[in-house]
Amino acid sequence: MELTIIINFHNMRRQAERTLFTLSRTFQRDCADIAYNVVTIDHGSSEKLDADRVRGAGENVRYLYLDTDAVSPCRALNAAVEDAQSEFVLIAIDGARMFSPGVIAQCRAAADRHDHPFAFCLNAHLGVDKQYRLAEKGHSQADEDALLATVDWRADGYRLFDIACLGNLMAHDHGPNESNVLFLKKADFLSVGGYDPAFASPGGGFAGIDLFRRLVGSATIDPVLLIGEATFHQMHGGTVTETYGEPRKARIAAMAEEYAEITGAPSKRAYYPFDRLGERHDRWRRFIEREGRR
């Protein structure tokens, strides 16, 4: 399988090194026979990533800085998909999210099982609680660094489940409503129109939710939830993940209003049939069980 991974960063110098390491062949498991490249988009950052350090993450990593005033990465992500030379793409709109070590291998398994797979995994937050709640209590990026130092996640990436909680927009008996892993055929991404560039809010607003719902609603695409895998959000001053109180409510309301204006309907939970693929390993089960006790 040939795969292009497209990942978007904006002012994420601290976070990018960890995220890119989790996409390296050193970290990802059972993918030696998968030909994959990583396109690192540095989208209008005022503090650019160190290009040499990015390329130092692996011979298969490409660095692309976009000098733009746009705060939404939708157009940039669409263009990167169009430029991809591989049959399959994996798109991550938020570069602050580290990957568990079986994501790439399980995406290949989804491609082996389905002619038109759409594979995705759960979103998690590093920390004992949602990051906007932790931020309200004064939890900082330095605290997160100390937390990551308590587990040897570089040697065993599944240890990240021990220090994380489930993110929002999830349901235990149903599939998620968005994901930072969108794995599918390039042609299928283009067939549904990709990200809608009308979403102009910071980070794309609800553009990821809109695209996810169009994909799971397609009659020709097979949704696949990757069991035992996730992406883990690092604090970076996110639009809603680290904003709390009335400012957070206002930002979410503005994004919801934008979604309704663009799509013609309010955002609602999507219910859809999906396949499950992967291993319910012990760390995954404890991770899910902790969420069930909240």
Side-chain angles (χ1 to χ4, degrees):
M1 183 182 77
E2 293 187 354
L3 169 66
T4 302
I5 299 174
I6 300 163
I7 184 163
N8 178 68
F9 295 93
H10 175 72
N11 289 333
M12 293 182 185
R13 278 187 158 188
R14 167 185 169 270
Q15 298 79 11
E17 185 274 335
R18 290 180 183 137
T19 297
L20 291 173
F21 179 80
T22 64
L23 287 171
S24 69
R25 293 193 179 276
T26 300
F27 186 86
Q28 288 291 316
R29 301 181 181 182
D30 303 321
C31 60
D33 59 337
I34 300 175
Y36 73 93
N37 295 303
V38 180
V39 177
T40 302
I41 300 175
D42 195 355
H43 191 264
S45 297
S46 57
E47 295 185 0
K48 299 179 184 178
L49 300 179
D50 186 317
D52 290 336
R53 295 192 69 173
V54 170
R55 288 188 284 265
E59 295 181 354
N60 61 336
V61 180
R62 175 189 170 201
Y63 175 69
L64 176 63
Y65 176 76
L66 294 183
D67 187 3
T68 176
D69 293 329
V71 294
S72 169
C74 292
R75 291 184 185 277
L77 291 169
N78 287 345
V81 173
E82 290 177 355
D83 287 344
Q85 300 301 304
S86 58
E87 180 181 12
F88 291 94
V89 294
L90 189 162
I91 307 144
I93 196 170
D94 185 357
R97 296 182 182 271
M98 302 159 68
F99 292 70
S100 59
V103 168
I104 294 176
Q106 291 301 329
C107 284
R108 188 257 304 276
D112 290 342
R113 181 179 291 188
H114 297 283
D115 291 335
H116 294 276
F118 167 43
F120 48 88
C121 62
L122 298 184
N123 292 337
H125 285 193
L126 291 172
V128 298
D129 203 350
K130 307 288 193 293
Q131 287 177 339
Y132 64 88
R133 294 174 184 163
L134 294 179
E136 189 171 11
K137 298 174 183 177
H139 189 81
S140 67
Q141 294 184 19
D143 293 320
E144 183 175 86
D145 292 341
L147 178 66
L148 281 162
T150 65
V151 297
D152 192 1
W153 61 270
R154 290 180 183 270
D156 179 3
Y158 290 113
R159 294 291 303 275
L160 291 169
F161 281 106
D162 297 342
I163 57 171
C165 69
L166 195 59
N168 290 332
L169 299 172
M170 304 297 169
H172 296 302
D173 298 327
H174 305 283
N177 271 352
E178 68 170 344
S179 175
N180 198 50
V181 167
L182 304 182
F183 167 83
L184 69 170
K185 288 182 175 179
K186 170 183 174 178
D188 288 335
F189 176 90
L190 297 176
S191 73
V192 300
Y195 288 100
D196 189 334
F199 285 91
S201 294
F206 283 3
I209 296 174
D210 170 61
L211 175 56
F212 192 96
R213 293 181 183 180
R214 281 185 279 123
L215 286 167
V216 298
S218 170
T220 60
I221 291 176
D222 296 304
V224 182
L225 173 62
L226 303 182
I227 301 297
E229 308 297 335
T231 60
F232 301 87
H233 190 265
Q234 303 172 76
M235 299 183 76
H236 64 96
T239 304
V240 295
T241 50
E242 293 152 62
T243 305
Y244 51 88
E246 292 305 317
R248 183 173 188 273
K249 292 179 182 178
R251 289 184 182 185
I252 292 175
M255 291 178 181
E257 182 178 358
E258 180 183 58
Y259 179 96
E261 289 176 354
I262 293 170
T263 67
S267 174
K268 295 181 180 180
R269 174 168 293 282
Y271 297 94
Y272 53 92
F274 61 96
D275 190 9
R276 292 175 172 85
L277 184 63
E279 178 188 357
R280 297 180 182 273
H281 52 80
D282 289 343
R283 287 195 162 88
W284 164 269
R285 285 197 293 268
R286 290 194 293 268
F287 169 75
I288 296 298
E289 289 168 0
R290 285 198 303 275
E291 188 65 21
R293 292 193 292 268
R294 292 183 189 278

